Amino acid sequence: MDRLTSMNVFVRAAELGSFAAAAEALRISPQMVAKHIARLESRLGTALLNRTTRRQHLTDIGSSYYERCKIVLAEAEAADAIALEMKATPSGIIRVNAPVTFGASMLAPFITQYLDNYPGTQVELTLSDRMVDPVEEGYEVILRIGELHDGPLIAYPLRPYRLIACASPEYLAQNGTPVTPTCLAQHSCLVYGIWSPQSPCRWLFTKEGKTQEVRPEGRFRANDWRALLHAAVRGYGVTQGPEDVLREEINAGRLVQILPDYTCPSRPMHVLTAAGLRQTVKIRSFIKAVTETFG
């Protein structure tokens, strides 16, 4: 006899108060109920139920064993449910939050490919550079760039978010190619963010363990990096931005990387989900696809 089946029979007999009631609920004979419980008692070497012709009750050991059996049966049922769910095809709405530049430039093309692979899914993507609360705001998957803060989140690491500096071939032909970071003082820079004395923009370049800081200046600033990318391709100056986005422009010949011997800052990147959120097949499949693409 299967031990889990015998445990289930024992639990039903304890809850329903008789072998006959348990037999009727389980659609087996009272004799079979008795056999299952006798097998458990034989295995344990002790009585689980005290029985008379009129009533039955759990022994002290039977009472403790009953509580444990309920836990074991619940865990076995949950394991079966997870296995069955993993075989299912992802479906339903996935609510995603991501930083603006990464989300618009890199995550959006990934999402359209994911939707092609899983026609039963829908994605609601919200772009925001602020830290969001997945529970309060209803996000199932979050992508974040930068150091993580303590919180009830499960984090999966992705490859670092690395910056490089670029300019168009036309701009460099007219203005020369910078050979050191200090040369950027003679160039028009396309600066991310709105200037303020309290938080001036800084570009960092590292070579052989030494870091140089540059305060970029130029005629065009913007709080959306896509606008700066457009201006860089049009030849309006030097920009510093995410390598994964700029690499496509470099490969197409629309931009050229400058100061390639120097390393620009890189920041950690993660895909996150709330620790208490049940990871359904749609969430697991989306996170798996994100880590395979950006890991």
Side-chain angles (χ1 to χ4, degrees):
M1 292 181 181
D2 178 77
R3 200 192 320 179
L4 284 178
T5 302
S6 295
M7 286 180 175
N8 185 49
V9 171
F10 166 66
V11 167
R12 297 306 297 272
E15 291 174 343
L16 297 175
S18 72
F19 285 10
E24 183 177 355
L26 297 169
R27 297 183 179 180
I28 58 177
S29 68
Q31 292 79 11
M32 185 58 69
V33 173
K35 286 182 179 180
H36 277 290
I37 294 175
R39 182 177 179 83
L40 289 176
E41 290 178 329
S42 174
R43 179 184 181 86
L44 298 170
T46 188
L48 299 174
L49 288 164
N50 284 328
R51 300 180 290 278
T52 66
T53 54
R54 293 191 174 185
R55 60 189 296 267
Q56 69 176 35
H57 65 271
L58 291 167
T59 64
D60 289 343
I61 293 176
S63 180
S64 297
Y65 191 69
Y66 163 75
E67 295 297 336
R68 280 293 172 183
C69 282
K70 288 197 299 182
I71 295 172
V72 169
L73 293 170
E75 288 296 324
E77 185 175 347
D80 287 348
I82 290 173
L84 290 172
E85 187 179 84
M86 289 179 69
K87 291 168 57 180
T89 302
S91 64
I93 300 173
I94 308 170
R95 295 174 175 86
V96 181
N97 181 274
V100 175
T101 298
F102 173 81
S105 302
M106 299 171 62
L107 189 61
F110 159 82
I111 288 175
T112 56
Q113 182 61 58
Y114 179 85
L115 294 173
D116 286 342
N117 293 339
Y118 301 103
T121 59
Q122 304 172 50
V123 175
E124 290 184 359
L125 174 63
T126 301
L127 301 181
S128 170
D129 288 330
R130 67 179 179 84
M131 294 297 294
V132 300
D133 186 318
V135 177
E136 291 290 331
E137 300 180 56
Y139 295 115
E140 296 167 301
V141 179
I142 299 172
L143 287 101
R144 272 292 162 261
I145 298 168
E147 297 296 335
L148 296 179
H149 303 287
D150 292 337
L153 298 171
I154 300 173
Y156 303 89
L158 305 175
R159 64 175 175 263
Y161 189 80
R162 180 172 175 248
L163 302 178
I164 60 175
C166 292
S168 72
E170 293 78 14
Y171 174 86
L172 296 175
Q174 294 178 7
N175 299 276
T177 300
V179 293
T180 66
T182 55
C183 295
L184 291 173
Q186 311 302 319
H187 286 265
S188 178
C189 296
L190 302 165
V191 183
Y192 178 80
I194 303 304
W195 184 87
S196 72
Q198 294 76 24
S199 57
C201 182
R202 299 182 303 166
W203 289 358
L204 302 177
F205 297 87
T206 301
K207 183 178 181 181
E208 298 176 350
K210 297 181 180 180
T211 298
Q212 297 183 50
E213 177 181 308
V214 174
R215 298 289 178 91
E217 297 291 342
R219 297 171 57 200
F220 187 20
R221 293 174 176 264
N223 66 348
D224 189 322
W225 191 79
R226 291 168 297 181
L228 302 178
L229 175 60
H230 173 77
V233 171
R234 290 288 304 275
Y236 279 84
V238 177
T239 191
Q240 188 183 71
E243 180 182 22
D244 284 344
V245 178
L246 289 169
R247 188 60 59 192
E248 182 177 344
E249 301 296 328
I250 293 170
N251 292 339
R254 291 186 288 268
L255 291 176
V256 176
Q257 182 179 358
I258 64 169
L259 304 174
D261 294 337
Y262 290 82
T263 301
C264 296
S266 65
R267 290 181 288 169
M269 186 164 63
H270 295 83
V271 56
L272 312 166
T273 188
L277 181 68
R278 179 168 174 249
Q279 289 202 20
T280 58
V281 65
K282 66 176 182 179
I283 296 175
R284 286 198 303 271
S285 71
F286 190 85
I287 290 176
K288 182 175 184 289
V290 168
T291 56
E292 289 175 348
T293 301
F294 301 108

